Amino acid sequence: MIKNVYTSEEVIDFIWELSQDNIHASYPRINSIEELKGELEKALNEKNRNIIAYYQNDVLWGVCTYFWIPDEKYAQTLQFLIREDYQQVADEMIHYISKELSGYKLFIGVPFSNENANQYFKKKNIECIESSIVANLYNLKTHWNQRHDNVDKITKDNFEEYAIFHDKHAIPLGIYYNSTNLKNDMDYFQVLVFRKDEEIHGSIFTKGNKDLSDVVGLFIDNEYKNKGIESILINEMLMELYNEFGSVKEILYFVDEDNSDELNFVLNAGFEIKERYRCYRCIL
């Protein structure tokens, strides 16, 4: 049986237990019980967010928290956690969401270590749109204090110049953060570009926070790849984060599994491999 959840106490222990277990976890990862409490409060109180729970004989078997953006017909889970009987519970939770959000695209992230989840999506022929290696860096420390001559920072004032380059790379990948959505969220982002002969040929954009920062994308024009621009942008990004936030607790960097060159640049900048990640897209 599926039901809506109206108090965090009903599900918080279940979510915390399963989210800390690689066999059952989903994405985004939860780093602390305080972070989880904050996420649940937002899901309970903000518009376009919801929490549902699956019960079997009054025993809690699954919880899903999710949000949606009506103008984009976009939905994403924040927790998709199932203790047992994965197929039955997942089927019913997705079906429940589809009745509410018909016509939406629902994105569900899970670690590679969650075999039940990955087998379920494969069996259902649900499209895997991202297979990434997750690298991270703890307690950022840096000694750089001078920006490379070819690197500039993008703000709302000069964003229109950058938008064309961004969409040239972002739209074919089908990522949520096209130029329109990125500009809407620019208060949360750091965007750096590499210029050559006054034209933009590379960029890196990062959602910055003192506790957890997330490198969302690194775009390089094909003719400029593997010429050192990647390392310049990654190092400049770390310097910019440090200048703004000081020693960031953790920085996440998602690298496509097939992109060994980018992974090497990331590892050379001090990141370490944390785990592997899959993102699936369900058409509701």
Side-chain angles (χ1 to χ4, degrees):
M1 177 185 71
I2 296 281
K3 60 173 288 190
N4 283 306
V5 173
Y6 298 105
T7 65
S8 60
E9 289 78 13
E10 180 179 349
V11 296
I12 190 168
D13 290 339
F14 179 93
I15 292 175
W16 180 246
E17 177 189 348
L18 267 65
S19 67
Q20 301 308 298
D21 181 351
N22 289 333
I23 295 175
H24 294 96
S26 63
Y27 258 86
R29 287 290 207 169
I30 301 169
N31 294 310
S32 69
I33 195 71
E34 290 74 19
E35 178 187 346
L36 175 57
K37 289 177 180 177
E39 287 293 340
L40 292 177
E41 287 304 309
K42 288 171 65 177
L44 291 169
N45 296 309
E46 292 187 7
K47 186 179 179 181
N48 298 340
R49 289 177 180 257
N50 197 20
I51 307 174
I52 57 174
Y54 179 93
Y55 284 89
Q56 180 72 25
N57 297 324
D58 295 325
V59 178
L60 183 58
W61 277 13
V63 174
C64 177
T65 72
Y66 57 100
F67 70 89
W68 61 96
I69 304 173
D71 291 343
E72 303 282 340
K73 292 289 184 179
Y74 176 97
Q76 179 185 322
T77 61
L78 297 172
Q79 284 95 31
F80 195 81
L81 300 166
I82 298 170
R83 188 186 296 279
E84 54 186 299
D85 202 352
Y86 199 97
Q87 179 169 329
Q88 176 182 338
V89 180
D91 279 347
E92 295 208 25
M93 290 201 300
I94 292 172
H95 178 68
Y96 185 94
I97 297 171
S98 71
K99 290 190 296 182
E100 180 185 21
L101 302 176
S102 177
Y104 278 64
K105 295 176 182 177
L106 173 66
F107 296 81
I108 303 174
V110 294
F112 186 69
S113 57
N114 188 335
E115 294 183 3
N116 287 330
N118 287 285
Q119 289 174 2
Y120 167 80
F121 292 117
K122 183 177 181 180
K123 181 178 180 181
K124 292 287 184 175
N125 292 317
I126 295 173
E127 182 183 10
C128 179
I129 63 161
E130 183 179 353
S131 299
S132 297
I133 295 171
V134 183
N136 69 341
L137 188 155
Y138 287 110
N139 300 318
L140 171 65
K141 294 179 177 63
T142 183
H143 303 289
W144 304 297
N145 55 22
Q146 185 174 358
R147 175 162 291 160
H148 192 280
D149 290 340
N150 296 90
V151 175
D152 289 329
K153 186 174 183 178
I154 297 298
T155 66
K156 287 184 178 180
D157 293 334
N158 62 357
F159 189 87
E160 295 307 318
E161 174 195 9
Y162 170 66
I164 297 173
F165 173 85
H166 184 88
D167 282 341
K168 178 175 69 173
H169 292 273
I171 290 177
L173 295 174
I175 68 173
Y176 171 74
Y177 277 109
N178 55 35
S179 63
T180 299
N181 293 333
L182 179 60
K183 185 177 182 180
N184 289 338
D185 285 354
M186 273 295 285
D187 290 341
Y188 307 103
F189 273 88
Q190 166 196 290
V191 182
L192 302 175
V193 298
F194 181 92
R195 298 180 189 273
K196 182 72 172 178
D197 299 325
E198 299 185 356
E199 292 187 12
I200 297 172
H201 294 290
S203 71
I204 189 167
F205 55 110
T206 307
K207 185 174 285 188
N209 184 280
K210 183 173 180 59
D211 292 323
L212 179 66
S213 292
D214 182 2
V215 182
V216 180
L218 173 69
F219 297 153
I220 307 291
D221 283 337
N222 286 333
E223 63 270 29
Y224 286 85
K225 287 183 176 179
N226 301 322
K227 295 184 178 180
I229 296 174
E230 294 89 345
S231 291
I232 291 171
L233 285 171
I234 292 169
N235 287 328
E236 294 284 329
M237 174 269 297
L238 294 176
M239 180 186 74
E240 189 73 21
L241 287 177
Y242 186 81
N243 288 342
E244 182 171 356
F245 300 109
S247 184
V248 179
K249 289 182 180 179
E250 183 178 15
I251 304 170
L252 292 179
Y253 197 127
F254 291 73
V255 183
D256 190 287
E257 283 187 340
D258 297 328
N259 196 337
S260 58
D261 290 326
E262 185 175 351
L263 179 61
N264 286 334
F265 292 126
V266 172
L267 297 179
N268 287 337
F271 287 79
E272 297 181 349
I273 294 175
K274 182 177 183 179
E275 60 187 344
R276 284 170 167 76
Y277 158 80
R278 299 285 185 273
C279 182
Y280 295 91
R281 178 170 56 195
C282 306
I283 309 299
L284 302 180

